[in-house]
Amino acid sequence: MSYLNELNESQIVAVENIYGATMVIAGAGSGKTRVLTYRIAYMMEQGIDPFNILALTFTNKAAREMTERIGQIVGASEAKNITMGTFHSVFSKILRFNADRIGFPNNFTIYDTQDSKSVIKDIIKEFNLDDKTYKPSSVFGRISAAKNNLLSPEAYAMNPEIMLEDKQSRRPEMARIYQAYANRCQKSGAMDFDDLLYFTNILLSEFPDVLSYYQQKFKYIMVDEYQDTNYAQYLIVKKLAAVYENICVVGDDAQSIYSFRGANIENILNFRKDYPDFKLYKLEQNYRSSKNIVEAANSIIKKNKDQITKNVWTDNTDGSKIKVIRTLTDNEEGRTIANRIFDVKQSEAKTFNEFAILYRTNKQSRSFEEALRKLNIPYKIYGGLSFYQRKEIKDLLAYFRLTANHNDEEALKRVINYPKRAIGKTSIENIIIAANKYNVSMWDVISDFATYPADINNGTKQKIYDFVTMIKSFAAQLNKLNAFELADTIAKSSGIMREMVAEKDKGIEEVERLQNVEELLAGIQEFVRGSDSDDFKSLSDFMIEVALLTDADQEKPEDRNHVSMMTIHASKGLEFPHVFIVGMEENLFPSQMVLNTRSELEEERRLFYVAVTRAMKTCTLSYAGSRFIHGQLNSCEQSRFVDEIDSQYLYFETPNRNVGGGRSLMGRDSERPFTGGLNKPMSAPPPNLKSLKDIGNSSEDSKNNGTNVEIKVGYNVEHDRFGKGKVTKMEGTGADKKATIFFPHHGSKTVILRFANLKILEE
């Protein structure tokens, strides 16, 4: 067991405790994945049968990496006997074995979010409802929340509190849409991601023999990222562990940031209530970040009340302090960060993939993209349109889905007239009408017009007949040709490849679409080659894997030389030597959308903690004094989260605006103390700019507030938020005139005079 020599004392204790209920609280960068991996290997070395081990992760990539590492220790063949994967991938397999019990075929399709919204959009249209009130994304979110709380359409409709909420939000038909959506999915032999958990709970609750089987099979259960589990996941794990209670959960309450997806931090906070005899182990040594970054992060998270106390520390070097940069505008913020990356890369011989720009919302990326492009700095945005959501990929995958499951109506509607076969929109609508009339699937109608008549002319019927024949011919090869052979056949025989090859000379976009399809086929070929020589990998197997890919599986930054740009949520689990956290402004971060309760504010603070702890060597915070929001220029204030970092870990800089070209030498300001921000009131929304007075101009309106005199260096002034201070610097002219003011309790602030509403005080 030489691998245990790689662990510190706390990690070894957590690894060797393999019986009973155990909670491992793992601080950021503390080697959590290694502990989980070695714990499983240690269990197997102690004689525990790998067939009795269930390990649940949140990404397939993490599960594969853990399996490979365990295989290196105990042998690859034995490692494959562990049931390891995401909640959705593991439970989808359980559902396929038992699908008939809950009224689904074992080859059910898994709908992605786009598929689900398409179904909902059709239902809203059929019900003649206003899609402005019943937005498909909002309706889908409501249904998702209901499923995560294990509410069936019937239970939803009978809950008076929910009905009142829907009525007050002017969406009284929500329950009817939910019921129709559930019916439509069942008729199509399809489940969405939430269904995989919802129906697993039903399966384990209503079929005691199934529950007993899996309780005996999974005698040892481990759950990674337990703080990210929702109510449905929590109940499944609790049911499975009820007999032996050999359950180990690993996570960090300080990194619980997914409540908008239904994650419930109470699951980890209340673990001791479910298992009173549990053992608690804390991994507190951070191997990732410098000492200044670790201590700064600690000073942030200690402001939260609801948490499991831990003292994260590191033996790493002190490193540089966290830099705070205040720019005048969001565009200047973009230029400043891009220039800083350029400077550091050149002066310190770094590579671009060592840098990451993190932001609260995707819409903030524009100014950074523009600035990076001007300096010819390569970058990639993560969390945008994934490869499997591109139209040409979705089209070919729809053929694959329809081949495996003829009742998949979303797939059928997508490809019945692609490539074009002169099967028009009216014909498709008449097929849907007939399917609804006879309460059968669209496939039943187009396969047998004699039994299910539809208002379609004979010429179109012949084209539909040819389409049905083609799909049936593909299906006949499902268990004869491997995944790549059949995928290649479908791509060519359907006409997709022929059409793309014909269009590739039209432009770059057409060439890229063809290349994407070729990349998909190459990926399927790799999927087949990567399996054991004796394993037959069918196209259905590939589709199951694709359907269960998580965002993290698809969006992991590759080892290519570019700056990574992403939201903070997307950055969780990643690390970079140099991290820039941008847009550190009140009402942007923390977001004004989630400041209604203390718990919401604490989650925003945890999100900031996650952002800071992504940094290994340097961390830079930036914010703008003004920002365009919804087409209007708004004055911005520094985020309270910057105030909450202990001042000893901060260093303030201002851009030197006299340097041109591709350089952005930073003017160094003094290291100034900051007061904590917990006791200050929540910032009000940005003021209406029309009501702000231009302090640079003399007017009758300003005579009574001391602003009828031109502000100069040395003047004492008063700011609505920062209080009294002294002007130390003036720059700019006219509407862009700015003043740098030193406030005793807030340090130096640079303000645009026409927005600042300053009051000049008597000497």
Side-chain angles (χ1 to χ4, degrees):
M1 292 184 282
S2 59
Y3 59 90
L4 294 182
N5 296 332
E6 301 175 22
L7 307 178
N8 63 39
E9 187 175 334
S10 298
Q11 292 172 329
I12 289 174
V13 174
V15 164
E16 292 182 340
N17 180 71
I18 58 177
Y19 300 105
T22 304
M23 181 161 66
V24 179
I25 297 299
S30 63
K32 166 180 65 68
T33 304
R34 174 175 289 186
V35 167
L36 197 56
T37 302
Y38 287 1
R39 189 175 191 272
I40 295 173
Y42 182 79
M43 291 168 66
M44 293 172 64
E45 288 191 339
Q46 297 306 302
I48 292 174
D49 192 333
F51 283 99
N52 293 142
I53 298 174
L54 169 64
L56 298 168
T57 66
F58 271 79
T59 69
N60 294 295
K61 187 174 186 293
R64 284 194 297 270
E65 290 175 352
M66 287 172 62
T67 301
E68 289 172 6
R69 184 71 183 103
I70 293 168
Q72 292 171 6
I73 299 172
V74 301
S77 60
E78 281 297 288
K80 289 181 180 179
N81 295 329
I82 304 165
T83 300
M84 184 184 299
T86 65
F87 280 88
H88 295 91
S89 65
V90 170
F91 299 141
S92 71
K93 292 176 184 176
I94 292 176
L95 288 172
R96 290 187 191 279
F97 279 121
N98 300 277
D100 58 315
R101 300 203 185 208
I102 52 176
F104 280 86
N106 60 12
N107 65 336
F108 60 81
T109 298
I110 299 175
Y111 278 171
D112 62 19
T113 301
Q114 195 178 104
D115 295 321
S116 296
K117 288 180 181 178
S118 177
V119 175
I120 290 169
K121 186 177 181 180
D122 288 343
I123 293 170
I124 291 169
K125 183 178 180 181
E126 290 171 21
F127 286 0
N128 293 315
L129 299 173
D130 181 6
D131 60 5
K132 300 279 193 304
T133 302
Y134 292 90
K135 294 180 180 178
S137 57
S138 298
V139 174
F140 175 69
R142 186 75 167 166
I143 293 173
S144 176
K147 290 180 181 178
N148 284 332
N149 285 286
L150 305 181
L151 283 173
S152 66
E154 296 77 14
Y156 185 100
M158 294 177 65
N159 187 306
E161 185 177 345
I162 291 175
M163 290 298 95
L164 180 60
E165 286 178 2
D166 287 343
K167 186 176 180 181
Q168 290 174 339
S169 64
R170 297 184 298 113
R171 295 184 298 190
E173 297 294 318
M174 192 69 77
R176 192 158 70 103
I177 296 173
Y178 182 13
Q179 183 67 69
Y181 174 73
N183 293 343
R184 196 73 56 89
C185 287
Q186 187 119 24
K187 189 169 73 169
S188 295
M191 295 188 192
D192 62 27
F193 256 56
D194 296 312
D195 284 329
L196 297 177
L197 303 179
Y198 174 78
F199 283 113
T200 299
N201 266 293
I202 289 179
L203 186 67
L204 299 180
S205 297
E206 297 185 2
F207 299 94
D209 60 317
V210 176
L211 174 60
S212 178
Y213 172 81
Y214 287 107
Q215 285 175 334
Q216 294 303 318
K217 177 176 175 58
F218 300 133
K219 295 177 181 178
Y220 299 86
I221 299 173
M222 271 157 288
V223 185
D224 192 15
E225 305 286 9
Y226 191 64
Q227 78 279 350
D228 293 333
T229 54
N230 60 28
Y231 179 63
Q233 291 164 327
Y234 160 78
L235 277 187
I236 293 171
V237 171
K238 190 175 181 183
K239 287 172 185 172
L240 292 175
V243 174
Y244 294 99
E245 292 195 350
N246 289 318
I247 176 172
C248 174
V249 300
V250 183
D252 182 8
D253 57 295
Q255 297 185 65
S256 177
I257 59 173
Y258 292 119
S259 65
F260 66 94
R261 293 183 185 172
N264 186 358
I265 192 174
E266 297 300 320
N267 292 347
I268 194 167
L269 295 178
N270 293 333
F271 186 78
R272 67 185 64 205
K273 293 181 181 179
D274 292 329
Y275 307 96
D277 298 327
F278 86 113
K279 297 187 181 83
L280 174 64
Y281 301 99
K282 296 180 182 179
L283 307 181
E284 297 173 307
Q285 182 175 359
N286 181 297
Y287 292 93
R288 174 188 300 152
S289 306
S290 69
K291 194 167 293 184
N292 271 309
I293 291 173
V294 170
E295 293 296 335
N298 286 344
S299 73
I300 294 164
I301 203 62
K302 73 180 182 182
K303 305 292 193 301
N304 274 9
K305 289 185 176 181
D306 295 330
Q307 62 175 298
I308 297 170
T309 305
K310 68 184 80 66
N311 178 36
V312 180
W313 59 277
T314 185
D315 272 338
N316 294 340
T317 59
D318 288 349
S320 58
K321 294 187 177 184
I322 292 179
K323 295 179 178 64
V324 182
I325 300 173
R326 195 266 193 196
T327 62
L328 298 180
T329 66
D330 50 346
N331 284 333
E332 185 185 58
E333 182 184 32
R335 292 193 299 271
T336 300
I337 299 306
N339 286 333
R340 167 51 64 93
I341 292 172
F342 182 89
D343 289 345
V344 175
K345 194 263 184 186
Q346 293 296 104
S347 63
E348 300 182 22
K350 304 295 183 183
T351 54
F352 286 124
N353 60 1
E354 295 183 60
F355 299 89
I357 299 174
L358 310 182
Y359 32 75
R360 180 64 179 83
T361 62
N362 276 310
K363 64 184 178 183
Q364 292 171 248
S365 70
R366 178 196 57 81
S367 63
F368 301 97
E369 290 187 73
E370 291 178 358
L372 292 170
R373 280 199 298 268
K374 286 179 181 177
L375 293 179
N376 292 318
I377 295 176
Y379 68 89
K380 181 173 181 179
I381 295 179
Y382 293 87
L385 185 67
S386 76
F387 178 78
Y388 290 100
Q389 292 298 323
R390 300 179 189 278
K391 179 188 179 301
E392 60 274 14
I393 301 301
K394 291 276 285 184
D395 289 337
L396 188 50
L397 291 179
Y399 270 103
F400 298 168
R401 284 165 44 179
L402 190 61
T403 298
N405 174 15
H406 296 336
N407 291 324
D408 185 341
E409 296 195 351
E410 287 307 299
L412 176 57
K413 286 186 289 185
R414 189 174 189 101
V415 300
I416 192 171
N417 195 41
Y418 177 78
K420 290 185 178 179
R421 301 182 177 87
I423 302 173
K425 184 177 179 181
T426 301
S427 296
I428 296 171
E429 288 176 349
N430 287 336
I431 292 168
I432 294 172
I433 290 171
N436 292 337
K437 177 181 178 181
Y438 297 106
N439 194 29
V440 294
S441 71
M442 290 176 65
W443 179 265
D444 291 331
V445 173
I446 65 176
S447 299
D448 189 358
F449 283 120
T451 304
Y452 309 112
D455 186 13
I456 297 172
N457 64 53
N458 289 331
T460 303
K461 282 183 179 179
Q462 181 59 47
K463 293 181 176 66
I464 293 173
Y465 173 78
D466 293 340
F467 172 76
V468 169
T469 301
M470 178 180 66
I471 298 298
K472 285 182 176 179
S473 72
F474 296 156
Q477 304 297 316
L478 261 174
N479 296 316
K480 297 178 182 178
L481 301 180
N482 67 33
F484 172 71
E485 292 167 340
L486 182 53
D488 190 54
T489 298
I490 293 173
K492 293 173 180 175
S493 300
S494 65
I496 286 182
M497 289 296 287
R498 182 169 58 251
E499 179 164 298
M500 288 193 166
V501 169
E503 292 183 346
K504 68 181 176 64
D505 295 328
K506 291 184 178 180
I508 295 175
E509 289 185 4
E510 285 73 14
V511 171
E512 287 181 348
R513 282 197 286 269
L514 176 59
Q515 289 173 342
N516 286 336
V517 169
E518 290 173 341
E519 185 177 340
L520 174 63
L521 293 174
I524 299 174
Q525 191 170 30
E526 185 64 29
F527 170 76
V528 172
R529 287 176 177 172
S531 64
D532 291 341
S533 57
D534 294 335
D535 288 349
F536 176 79
K537 290 291 187 180
S538 71
L539 190 59
S540 296
D541 295 327
F542 175 77
M543 290 306 298
I544 290 170
E545 180 158 306
V546 168
L548 293 166
L549 286 175
T550 66
D551 290 342
D553 293 320
Q554 300 177 48
E555 299 294 351
K556 285 287 184 183
E558 308 108 14
D559 294 326
R560 295 178 185 169
N561 196 21
H562 58 239
V563 174
S564 296
M565 296 175 59
M566 65 191 78
T567 64
I568 301 168
H569 281 101
S571 74
K572 188 167 178 290
L574 304 178
E575 59 184 32
F576 301 90
H578 307 283
V579 170
F580 295 84
I581 308 170
V582 300
M584 292 300 304
E585 297 144 28
E586 268 309 290
N587 298 321
L588 181 56
F589 193 23
S591 169
Q592 63 181 341
M593 304 296 290
V594 291
L595 291 178
N596 299 312
T597 64
R598 174 171 290 280
S599 64
E600 289 179 337
L601 174 61
E602 292 202 348
E603 175 150 339
E604 284 287 286
R605 189 177 288 115
R606 291 194 296 269
L607 188 60
F608 183 42
Y609 174 82
V610 166
V612 171
T613 54
R614 298 311 93 199
M616 301 166 69
K617 295 180 180 178
T618 70
C619 180
T620 301
L621 312 179
S622 68
Y623 66 101
S626 62
R627 182 179 297 275
F628 273 98
I629 302 175
H630 304 305
Q632 185 178 18
L633 188 65
N634 286 262
S635 180
C636 305
E637 299 176 0
Q638 175 184 284
S639 167
R640 71 185 73 186
F641 291 155
V642 179
D643 290 350
E644 291 178 358
I645 302 175
D646 286 353
S647 59
Q648 62 181 308
Y649 306 118
L650 296 178
Y651 187 86
F652 297 86
E653 296 185 349
T654 54
N656 186 338
R657 300 181 179 90
N658 296 321
V659 179
R663 302 281 294 164
S664 71
L665 298 176
M666 306 300 288
R668 298 190 175 187
D669 292 348
S670 60
E671 299 175 19
R672 358 182 150 76
F674 261 58
T675 57
L678 273 184
N679 296 323
K680 67 184 179 184
M682 289 187 183
S683 174
N688 186 333
L689 296 185
K690 292 182 180 178
S691 68
L692 296 176
K693 299 177 177 61
D694 187 341
I695 200 166
N697 297 321
S698 203
S699 71
E700 287 299 314
D701 292 335
S702 62
K703 285 181 179 177
N704 295 326
N705 66 5
T707 63
N708 60 328
V709 193
E710 183 181 1
I711 288 186
K712 297 180 180 178
V713 172
Y715 275 38
N716 292 316
V717 296
E718 186 172 6
H719 186 275
D720 289 342
R721 169 162 158 69
F722 303 120
K724 297 177 182 178
K726 177 171 282 192
V727 179
T728 59
K729 183 180 177 182
M730 297 292 301
E731 56 184 319
T733 58
D736 292 325
K737 202 166 188 178
K738 299 176 285 290
T740 299
I741 307 165
F742 178 75
F743 299 97
H745 297 296
H746 295 278
S748 287
K749 305 285 183 184
T750 300
V751 297
I752 301 174
L753 291 185
R754 63 193 178 101
F755 296 152
N757 204 20
L758 296 173
K759 179 179 180 181
I760 298 176
L761 303 176
E762 297 292 334
E763 291 290 337

